Amino acid sequence: MYDKTLFPKNHNTGLRGFAVALVLGAAVFSTGCSDSGGSNSNEPAGSSLLSLNLPDSLTGGTATSSHRSLAARALNVAKSGNVVRSSNGVGEPCFYDGVEDDDVFRNGYRMSKFMISAVATWTCLSDTIIDLSESVPHDGLIQEGENDTQAANYEADEPTHYSVTDDSATQTTVRLYYGFDRSMPPTSGDNPGFFLSWNEVANGDISGRMVVNGASIDPLNSDPEAPIDMRVDFDYTDTAKVADMFLRFDAGNAWADGLRIEVTKDLTASPLGQVFTARGLMEMKAQFVPVDGISELPQLRMYTVSDRLGEGAAVAEFVDVSLPLEIDAVTGDHLGNYIFDKTDIYFFDANQNSATPWDWIDKTITDSQYRGGRNLLTMTTAGIIDFLSLSPTYFSGTECANVGDDCTALLNAIFADGFADQEQNQGSNPMGWRSTAITSPDYLVSVYPNGSNWTGAFDLTFIP
């Protein structure tokens, strides 16, 4: 009946495309790898300094075979000494599926998996970079890599030069440079496209920062909707590990300015309690679906919890989101434009391969307003009222007839019916620690590291 998606899929491609770009931008150092030897393990060999060991229910699991060539190309790394390649290629486990299609905003749980998979990718790649940096000199000199801009097999999204510096007895910094000819190599005055610095002190605490400048990596093939800068802050102690990711979108993105994803692993919690906590926030500059009569900017925030095995719950809040309910583009039947607030709760199981990987799905419109545009030419309001079990005077009385009226009953009825292939509300609250954890979510309040803007956010420095 209602052939209209909540968020058209073409608006999601820029964000999902960056998930792939996150991987493709991270090739390390230089030469190709030997095909000999190796392991079939799903975990990358070597360092696990920054690994969060996130369960598959939070990341979507490691890459399927269709994605492995991308991951292998992204990690076209130098092989030296005991750096071992698996039978399928170096570092493939660093690519996580997240969600399998572009329908990222289908529910709060899919949003969570999509975001958390990006953090999982970069903590894994950071460990790979840290491990491989041990095989090259730490003298701070900018070294030439195998990727030659003049060669037939040149890859613009792989680095051409690199350097590794020991800043102190406990701190090391890796810099990767992109697009430099061998005849004019980068100097210390040139900014790298990739920066990773970490500090590990005697008691085992680790702090660090990764910065990626997307504009310097294959600029001719950049996506105007994708994030252009990324930063990840690491803060690991003996009680908790925190990875905090900040993404700034390209100015060409019509609706998003920034995205922040924070993942915390509580090392003191019971394995069957709230071990993992993920928080996400998107800073918007326009509606996903602009419609007449709606000038508010939407807000999207999410909060997800999981035990060590991967059973958990996700809650997302969509605030001031526009929703045009076009019924039939040919006839012109339109149920009108609305703005709404929605709370999306999804309790998920560790076993995502089961027939019902959820325990409870509950989508509730908490507030809404009619903003005009209703135009029913061939359909009758009586038919819609009957189909959605609304009151007989719903569209003609004082409930949802005039601009500004509250139409929460209408939108809840639509979502409960499985509007636009959204899941219907199913199951019941299983209670327990998950229910307690999401009763009052502690949402992020800013996408910016300084709390107000991007000033200094992507400076290529790190002071422990």
Side-chain angles (χ1 to χ4, degrees):
M1 176 180 177
Y2 300 102
D3 187 21
K4 183 73 177 177
T5 57
L6 178 57
F7 301 118
K9 290 184 179 180
N10 63 307
H11 289 281
N12 301 332
T13 55
L15 186 56
R16 178 162 175 80
F18 190 64
V20 177
L22 290 178
V23 179
L24 291 181
V28 186
F29 305 132
S30 56
T31 68
C33 304
S34 167
D35 290 326
S36 62
S39 162
N40 290 315
S41 170
N42 283 330
E43 294 296 329
S47 171
S48 59
L49 201 65
L50 301 177
S51 172
L52 294 171
N53 293 319
L54 292 156
D56 288 353
S57 62
L58 293 179
T59 65
T62 52
T64 59
S65 58
S66 62
H67 292 129
R68 289 193 184 279
S69 61
L70 290 178
R73 177 168 170 241
L75 289 172
N76 178 24
V77 297
K79 179 177 181 293
S80 174
N82 62 351
V83 180
V84 180
R85 178 179 183 176
S86 74
S87 60
N88 290 315
V90 169
E92 287 170 350
C94 283
F95 189 91
Y96 295 85
D97 279 330
V99 293
E100 300 78 16
D101 54 45
D102 290 329
D103 200 2
V104 173
F105 299 104
R106 183 181 181 90
N107 57 49
Y109 176 47
R110 290 175 69 87
M111 286 175 59
S112 297
K113 280 202 299 184
F114 176 74
M115 293 181 183
I116 296 168
S117 67
V119 175
T121 293
W122 278 109
T123 53
C124 179
L125 291 176
S126 297
D127 280 338
T128 304
I129 292 166
I130 290 170
D131 187 53
L132 292 169
S133 70
E134 296 303 316
S135 65
V136 297
H138 289 210
D139 54 13
L141 297 178
I142 297 176
Q143 305 289 339
E144 182 180 278
E146 285 266 325
N147 193 30
D148 183 357
T149 59
Q150 303 304 310
N153 62 348
Y154 167 68
E155 298 289 354
D157 55 13
E158 295 182 8
T160 56
H161 298 77
Y162 66 90
S163 71
V164 181
T165 304
D166 282 335
D167 303 294
S168 70
T170 59
Q171 183 179 359
T172 301
T173 300
V174 172
R175 297 173 176 85
L176 306 181
Y177 300 84
Y178 294 78
F180 283 90
D181 293 338
R182 293 185 174 184
S183 60
M184 296 185 65
T187 67
S188 59
D190 292 308
N191 286 331
F194 181 99
F195 172 93
L196 173 63
S197 187
W198 68 97
N199 186 67
E200 183 178 13
V201 295
N203 67 357
D205 289 358
I206 302 166
S207 58
R209 178 169 300 165
M210 174 189 291
V211 180
V212 179
N213 177 4
S216 67
I217 302 173
D218 195 12
L220 296 179
N221 292 305
S222 62
D223 182 348
E225 288 201 344
I228 194 170
D229 289 304
M230 182 194 75
R231 164 176 157 180
V232 185
D233 290 347
F234 304 102
D235 186 10
Y236 291 14
T237 68
D238 60 351
T239 59
K241 295 182 177 182
V242 182
D244 202 356
M245 174 181 283
F246 305 87
L247 299 166
R248 178 172 66 176
F249 286 86
D250 187 279
N253 189 300
W255 47 270
D257 178 53
L259 172 64
R260 182 179 175 188
I261 312 158
E262 179 198 79
V263 179
T264 300
K265 182 177 183 180
D266 186 345
L267 302 179
T268 66
S270 163
L272 299 181
Q274 187 176 343
V275 174
F276 296 100
T277 303
R279 304 191 294 170
L281 179 66
M282 184 174 288
E283 183 75 12
M284 306 294 291
K285 57 186 180 183
Q287 291 283 351
F288 286 100
V289 187
V291 296
D292 292 337
I294 296 177
S295 59
E296 292 92 337
L297 293 180
Q299 301 174 51
L300 275 71
R301 45 188 179 242
M302 71 88 176
Y303 185 84
T304 301
V305 295
S306 167
D307 64 20
R308 188 171 295 174
L309 299 178
E311 183 178 68
V315 56
E317 284 194 354
F318 302 80
V319 179
D320 288 341
V321 177
S322 65
L323 179 63
L325 292 179
E326 182 181 68
I327 297 174
D328 192 321
V330 176
T331 65
D333 284 294
H334 202 296
L335 197 52
N337 299 323
Y338 304 84
I339 188 168
F340 71 89
D341 299 347
K342 172 170 164 270
T343 299
D344 187 315
I345 297 173
Y346 195 113
F347 280 50
F348 54 91
D349 292 333
N351 182 10
Q352 293 295 294
N353 294 320
S354 69
T356 55
W358 47 265
D359 295 313
W360 184 36
I361 301 175
D362 185 53
K363 304 171 188 291
T364 305
I365 304 297
T366 57
D367 187 46
S368 71
Q369 281 188 10
Y370 172 54
R371 292 296 179 86
R374 189 175 295 145
N375 185 31
L376 297 174
L377 300 175
T378 63
M379 297 192 68
T380 65
T381 56
I384 295 171
I385 285 170
D386 181 64
F387 182 82
L388 296 176
S389 301
L390 300 168
S391 69
T393 59
Y394 195 79
F395 296 115
S396 57
T398 59
E399 292 172 273
C400 185
N402 303 303
V403 172
D405 282 352
D406 185 301
C407 296
T408 301
L410 168 66
L411 298 190
N412 272 320
I414 288 173
F415 275 95
D417 182 55
F419 163 68
D421 295 325
Q422 303 293 314
E423 303 96 335
Q424 295 185 13
N425 290 344
Q426 303 171 66
S428 60
N429 189 339
M431 306 307 292
W433 73 266
R434 292 183 293 175
S435 297
T436 302
I438 68 166
T439 297
S440 300
D442 181 19
Y443 292 114
L444 293 170
V445 296
S446 174
V447 300
Y448 310 110
N450 67 7
S452 58
N453 55 51
W454 291 119
T455 301
F458 306 102
D459 290 349
L460 302 175
T461 59
F462 174 66
I463 300 174

